[in-house]
Amino acid sequence: MSALPNRVVVAHPSALRKVVTPAKAGAALDPGPRVEDSRGGPGRDDEPRRRIQPPAWVARVLAMVLGLALFVVLWAFIAKFGRIPDPVAVFREAMKIFSDPFYRNGPNDQGIGWNVLTSLGRVGIGFGLAAAVGIPLGFLIGRFRFLSDMAAPIIALLKPVSPLAWLPIGLLVFKAANPAAIWVIFVCSLWPMIVNTAVGVRQIPQDYLNVARVLNLSEWKVFTKILLPAVLPYMLTGVRLSIGVAWLVIVAAEMLTGGVGIGFWVWDEWNNLKVDHILIAILVIGVVGLVLEQAMIFIARRFSHGVAT
């Protein structure tokens, strides 16, 4: 009699399922194994570690500092092969100059502080006159098509002219260097304000003006309630461009007119072959220009409610 073959018992898949029995009332559930997180407290082993990101301004400041450092290193490297003073020598001379920036030894021998203030005064007068004339003209040119067609060839003809080309006209008319320099600032600051303000007026949707016409609003109401709020970002952009051009041009104008001013101070130091003083003046001009531009940007953001200008 042969032996019976071995039988293989296969369990039903339902029998392999884990049977979960409800916990009795009052019995504590097992929370599972507890692990210590990286800070020494209790946590889950599957919790991802959070990486603390530095603020965005830290990276920006670091990039600026790195850029300035590279600029100084490049300056020092070039100074070894040329006649330009190195940064250490310029810094020492700057300490002497800024120790007494407001001295007076005569009408043409004054400290760098007085020269900067004199140049800023000329820029302020010329820029203010340009704003008083250019902004209203921009509104009129943008508002009325006929005036825009009249002004278009004049602006296209005179806008590309170099600002210094207007200096002889100023000397001829005013017979003095100071008003001639202010005249140059006035002319070069005029065009950005006119053009940007006119462009802003043209960008206003025609539906707004149609509603104003239906409501029979006066031109003053249209200006104060519709035009001015919509054009303000464009107008402030023109103001910011104008102040930058004005500060750029006054230095060149003062080199030609003489007297007191940062431009004349640069030219006078060149005549005395003081290259380190020229480099100091260049840095001062850059810092003042940066402050003026940032001030205009702050005012633009303040009055345009964060609209990019």
Side-chain angles (χ1 to χ4, degrees):
M1 185 177 180
S2 61
L4 295 176
N6 295 331
R7 290 184 299 173
V8 179
V9 179
V10 179
H12 193 271
S14 61
L16 300 178
R17 296 176 184 174
K18 183 178 180 180
V19 179
V20 180
T21 57
K24 295 181 180 180
L29 295 176
D30 184 11
R34 300 171 64 87
V35 297
E36 297 291 328
D37 63 2
S38 59
R39 293 168 295 180
R44 292 290 182 181
D45 54 353
D46 58 347
E47 181 180 357
R49 295 183 178 180
R50 296 180 180 178
R51 305 182 68 181
I52 300 177
Q53 297 291 341
W57 63 268
V58 174
R60 295 183 61 187
V61 171
L62 183 60
M64 293 178 184
V65 172
L66 181 60
L68 291 175
L70 290 176
F71 173 76
V72 173
V73 170
L74 181 61
W75 177 7
F77 177 77
I78 296 176
K80 293 182 178 180
F81 301 96
R83 299 180 180 180
I84 300 177
D86 59 85
V88 177
V90 173
F91 177 77
R92 291 174 181 172
E93 196 64 28
M95 295 299 293
K96 297 178 182 178
I97 292 177
F98 290 110
S99 62
D100 188 14
F102 293 101
Y103 73 86
R104 288 182 185 270
N105 292 333
N108 294 328
D109 186 10
Q110 301 182 19
I112 191 173
W114 291 120
N115 286 277
V116 171
L117 291 179
T118 303
S119 297
L120 286 174
R122 294 189 181 111
V123 169
I125 296 174
F127 174 79
L129 293 174
V133 175
I135 292 176
L137 276 179
F139 273 103
L140 293 175
I141 292 173
R143 181 74 174 88
F144 302 104
R145 186 69 184 180
F146 182 74
L147 292 179
S148 177
D149 294 337
M150 287 180 57
I154 301 176
I155 295 175
L157 180 65
L158 299 181
K159 186 172 176 287
V161 177
S162 172
L164 293 181
W166 296 98
L167 184 59
I169 305 300
L171 292 173
L172 176 65
V173 173
F174 299 107
K175 308 295 184 182
N178 189 54
I182 295 174
W183 157 256
V184 173
I185 296 303
F186 168 78
V187 173
C188 73
S189 302
L190 192 64
W191 311 121
M193 295 189 194
I194 293 177
V195 172
N196 282 274
T197 304
V199 169
V201 174
R202 295 193 190 104
Q203 295 300 320
I204 298 176
Q206 187 62 34
D207 294 341
Y208 294 179
L209 301 178
N210 294 337
V211 171
R213 191 177 297 109
V214 170
L215 296 177
N216 198 21
L217 297 180
S218 63
E219 282 296 327
W220 177 250
K221 285 288 186 181
V222 172
F223 172 76
T224 56
K225 301 297 183 181
I226 298 177
L227 295 182
L228 185 59
V231 177
L232 190 58
Y234 296 89
M235 184 179 68
L236 292 176
T237 298
V239 170
R240 179 168 60 88
L241 294 176
S242 295
I243 195 66
V245 173
W247 182 245
L248 178 71
V249 171
I250 192 59
V251 177
E254 288 174 346
M255 287 183 179
L256 300 177
T257 58
V260 181
I262 189 62
F264 171 75
W265 194 80
V266 171
W267 192 251
D268 187 56
E269 297 305 310
W270 165 248
N271 292 329
N272 296 327
L273 297 179
K274 295 182 179 179
V275 183
D276 48 359
H277 288 192
I278 296 175
L279 293 177
I280 294 171
I282 291 174
L283 295 177
V284 170
I285 293 169
V287 170
V288 174
L290 178 63
V291 171
L292 291 176
E293 183 179 7
Q294 293 301 317
M296 290 297 105
I297 292 176
F298 174 78
I299 294 174
R301 291 177 178 174
R302 184 76 170 83
F303 287 94
S304 59
H305 306 288
V307 178
T309 57

